Amino acid sequence: MTETTAAVVTRDDPRYPALVEGYNHRFVGRPDEVRLATDAADVQAAVQAAVDAGRRIAVRSGGHCFEDFTAHPDVKVLVDLSALNHVGHDAGRDAFVMEPGARLDHVYRALHDGWGVTIPAGTCFEVAVGGHIAAGGYGPLSRRDGLVVDHVTAVEAVVVGADGRARTVVGTDQPDDPHHDLWWAHTGGGGGSFGVVTKYWLRTPGTPDGDPARQLPRAPRAVLRRDTMWSWDAISDADFRTLLRNYCTWYEENSEPGAPAAALWSNLIITHRSGTMFILTSVIPDDAPDAAGVLEAHTAAVTCGIDAEPMSVTSETSPWLDTWLPSYSWPSDPQGRYKNKAGYLRRGFSDAQITAIHRHLSSSDYENPMGCLVLTGFGGKVNAVAPDATAVAQRDCILKASYSTGSWTDPADDERHLAWVRAYYRDVYAHSGGVPVPDDTNDGSYIGYPDTDLADPEWNTSGIDWSVLYFKNNYARLQRVKRVYDPLDVFHHGLSVRLR
C-alpha cells in the first residue's frame, strides 16, 4: 500500500468534528479518517492509499456542498484541501495560479492587492475555489466578464487510471494538448467526477504576455450599490406579479453580450411571508459607462407600476473590497440544515409560474423566514461563449433562480421543510414534470447548486434525465472524459458523471 505524507486525523482526534462538518448539517460525514493534504504529492499518495485499500474517497475544499457528496456514509477517507490555498502569479506559465483550498475572500484580496485584478466569482467569501470553479463559477462581475471558467487556461488534477495507479496530470486549453479534454471537463463539469484538482491556472484569453496586471479583469475602483426593501404587508398580489415581471423583463432586454447595461448585476430576494422582506440589491462598477444612469434606469424599470412604498431605499458608493461584496451570502450557521434547488431562466416566468411562487411564499401553513426565492442577474458576457466551448452549456440565459429553505437545526423538522421546498419547486415547473426542462423559458439547472431530487423519479417526472438538466448536449463528452481519466469510478457521488 502506498503511504501518504498528509497528516491523518481519526475519529478520536479533537480536530475531527470540525473537519467533517460542512455547510449543510443535514449531512455530516463519519469517515474513518481525514487526510490533510498540503500539496499535490500528498493528494496523489492519499488517493493511491485509498484505492489500494478499496476505501471510498471524497475530497473537500471549502465544504459548501448542498448535498452529501463529501459526507455520504459510505465515504471512508476524506481528503481535506484547505491547506492548498496559494494564490499568485506563475511566471513559468505566465498565468495566475490558484489552489483549490483558497477561499474567495483570500482570492479577491490577493489578486486586488497584488495586481489590481479580480475574477468574476461569487459573493460567499467562505466558499473555496476548488468546487466553485469546477462548477463554472459566477458572480456580480459575470455579466461584465463572463464565468470564472472562461478565464481558466489549465488545470492540474490527480486521476486514477484503469491500472489503479494515481497520477498527477495537467490539462490545458490548447487543442493539441493530449489532456485538453481534462481541462474542458473542469470548466463546468462539476467536482468529484474526474479526479482531484490541485491547481487552476487563470488568464483571460487574448491578454498580453508578461504583464500580470493585464491578464485578468481589472478590479473596479468602486461600486455603486442600491438596496430597495419592501415589506410583505405592503405588497399586494398585483404588486408581487408586477415586481417579478418587471425584474425579469429588464433582464430580457439587457442581457446581450456588450449591452450598455451588462455591467449591472442585481439580486432580488423574496423571503417567505414569515420573513417579511423583499430585497432588491443592485450593483454596478462606478467606472462603467453612465453607471449612475444605468442604475437609475434599472431601479425605475423594476419598480414601475408598484403601488407599495419601499420600507427603505439606500444608495452608496463603496470601494471594491468594502462591505458591499458579500451582498448575499448563505448564513454560516454551524448547525444549519438546508435544502436548495435552482434553475436557469431564458426569459421571465410565465403567469402560472408566478402564481405558484406567490402561493408557496405566502402560504399560511408554513413558516420559515429562510424560505425564499432568489433571482440573480446572469447573461451579458456569459452569453458570448459557445455552449460547447466549456462544459457549461447554458449560454443564452438571463437569470439564475434559487428556491431554498434552511437554517433549521432539529432533524425532527427535516420532513416539514423538505416537503415545503419540494412542493414549491415542483409546482413552479409543473408544466414540465416538476423540473426546469430546457425550453423557451427554462434551461435546466446549475451543478454548483446540486439537487439530487433531479435524479429521483418521485420528483422528476419529466422523463428527462438529470444529466440533461445540468449538462445538456455536453454530457456525452463528459462521459468520454470520465472513461479516460476515472475508468474505475473512484470519484463518484449522487450527481457525478456516469461511465455509461
Side-chain angles (χ1 to χ4, degrees):
M1 180 183 297
T2 302
E3 292 297 327
T4 173
T5 61
V8 180
V9 175
T10 56
R11 293 179 183 177
D12 57 354
D13 190 303
R15 295 172 292 176
Y16 181 90
L19 288 170
V20 299
E21 290 177 354
Y23 157 80
N24 190 351
H25 266 252
R26 286 178 53 225
F27 313 108
V28 178
R30 290 286 294 169
D32 296 338
E33 60 189 37
V34 181
R35 303 273 180 150
L36 305 179
T38 59
D39 57 23
D42 276 354
V43 173
Q44 181 172 323
V47 169
Q48 188 65 67
V51 171
D52 289 345
R55 304 164 80 193
R56 180 168 169 180
I57 190 170
V59 183
R60 191 175 74 182
S61 51
H64 275 67
C65 186
F66 291 169
E67 293 286 1
D68 70 348
F69 298 168
T70 64
H72 192 280
D74 290 346
V75 170
K76 302 305 180 186
V77 179
L78 178 64
V79 179
D80 185 283
L81 303 179
S82 57
L84 277 76
N85 58 14
H86 173 66
V87 177
H89 190 268
D90 181 344
R93 288 194 174 272
D94 200 13
F96 287 90
V97 61
M98 298 176 193
E99 293 182 332
R103 299 195 175 196
L104 290 179
D105 54 353
H106 172 49
V107 171
Y108 291 140
R109 179 62 66 184
L111 294 178
H112 174 271
D113 292 357
W115 300 274
V117 298
T118 193
I119 57 174
T123 59
C124 300
F125 275 13
E126 306 91 345
V127 168
V129 298
H132 186 60
I133 295 179
Y138 80 103
L141 289 179
S142 287
R143 284 169 50 82
R144 188 192 79 168
D145 298 321
L147 300 178
V148 180
V149 293
D150 299 337
H151 304 267
V152 172
T153 186
V155 60
E156 177 184 85
V158 174
V159 299
V160 179
D163 59 358
R165 307 311 298 170
R167 66 192 193 280
T168 302
V169 178
V170 174
T172 74
D173 60 354
Q174 299 302 304
D176 60 351
D177 178 358
H179 298 299
H180 177 71
D181 276 355
L182 183 67
W183 162 82
W184 181 87
H186 285 94
T187 62
S193 283
F194 311 102
V196 185
V197 173
T198 50
K199 285 188 180 74
Y200 292 105
W201 286 271
L202 290 89
R203 176 175 163 178
T204 303
T207 53
D209 294 342
D211 188 355
R214 297 176 63 190
Q215 291 178 345
L216 282 177
R218 295 297 299 172
R221 181 185 65 85
V223 297
L224 309 182
R225 170 177 173 164
R226 177 167 297 163
D227 290 294
T228 308
M229 301 177 63
W230 296 266
S231 166
W232 257 103
D233 293 337
I235 292 283
S236 66
D237 291 1
D239 283 341
F240 186 100
R241 291 178 176 276
T242 299
L243 178 62
L244 270 184
R245 287 197 195 101
N246 287 352
Y247 188 77
C248 294
T249 297
W250 187 90
Y251 277 95
E252 288 177 359
E253 297 172 351
N254 293 278
S255 293
E256 287 298 312
L264 185 141
W265 168 89
S266 64
N267 255 357
L268 176 62
I269 305 172
I270 306 177
T271 70
H272 185 268
R273 183 182 288 276
S274 56
T276 74
M277 294 293 182
F278 292 66
I279 307 168
L280 172 64
T281 297
S282 307
V283 174
I284 187 169
D286 77 336
D287 59 357
D290 190 26
V294 170
L295 180 59
E296 290 294 337
H298 169 75
T299 304
V302 173
T303 60
C304 180
I306 296 174
D307 292 331
E309 289 294 321
M311 293 176 59
S312 67
V313 180
T314 59
S315 300
E316 61 180 349
T317 301
S318 300
W320 168 244
L321 286 182
D322 206 344
T323 55
W324 82 268
L325 193 54
S327 55
Y328 175 61
S329 183
W330 297 104
S332 299
D333 183 340
Q335 300 296 324
R337 305 171 76 84
Y338 302 86
K339 181 62 179 178
N340 308 82
K341 294 173 170 288
Y344 286 99
L345 289 175
R346 281 178 159 150
R347 66 182 185 188
F349 292 115
S350 69
D351 287 345
Q353 287 181 305
I354 293 175
T355 296
I357 292 167
H358 182 269
R359 181 170 65 252
H360 287 279
L361 291 180
S362 64
S363 60
S364 59
D365 58 351
Y366 178 77
E367 290 190 3
N368 183 3
M370 287 295 295
C372 63
L373 168 71
V374 181
L375 284 177
T376 302
F378 206 59
K381 189 69 174 290
V382 174
N383 292 350
V385 177
D388 60 353
T390 68
V392 178
Q394 291 85 358
R395 292 291 188 165
D396 63 355
C397 297
I398 61 171
L399 290 160
K400 282 191 178 184
S402 174
Y403 314 82
S404 61
T405 189
S407 205
W408 72 95
T409 58
D410 188 345
D413 292 330
D414 284 0
E415 183 176 352
R416 176 170 67 91
H417 293 293
L418 292 175
W420 177 80
V421 76
R422 283 168 166 162
Y424 168 30
Y425 188 76
R426 177 199 62 204
D427 290 353
V428 171
Y429 298 107
H431 69 286
S432 55
V435 295
V437 173
D439 58 21
D440 289 344
T441 298
N442 308 291
D443 205 20
S445 193
Y446 175 49
I447 194 61
Y449 298 158
D451 173 17
T452 55
D453 288 350
L454 298 191
D456 185 341
E458 179 179 357
W459 298 106
N460 177 359
T461 60
S462 69
I464 304 299
D465 194 68
W466 66 269
S467 61
V468 175
L469 302 177
Y470 284 114
F471 303 116
K472 300 175 65 178
N473 292 336
N474 287 339
Y475 188 63
R477 184 176 177 186
L478 289 170
Q479 286 185 297
R480 291 196 296 271
V481 178
K482 174 78 168 180
R483 290 193 287 269
V484 171
Y485 291 98
D486 187 26
L488 303 180
D489 203 22
V490 170
F491 304 99
H492 64 275
H493 52 68
L495 294 175
S496 59
V497 174
R498 312 300 194 228
L499 287 168
R500 294 288 185 271

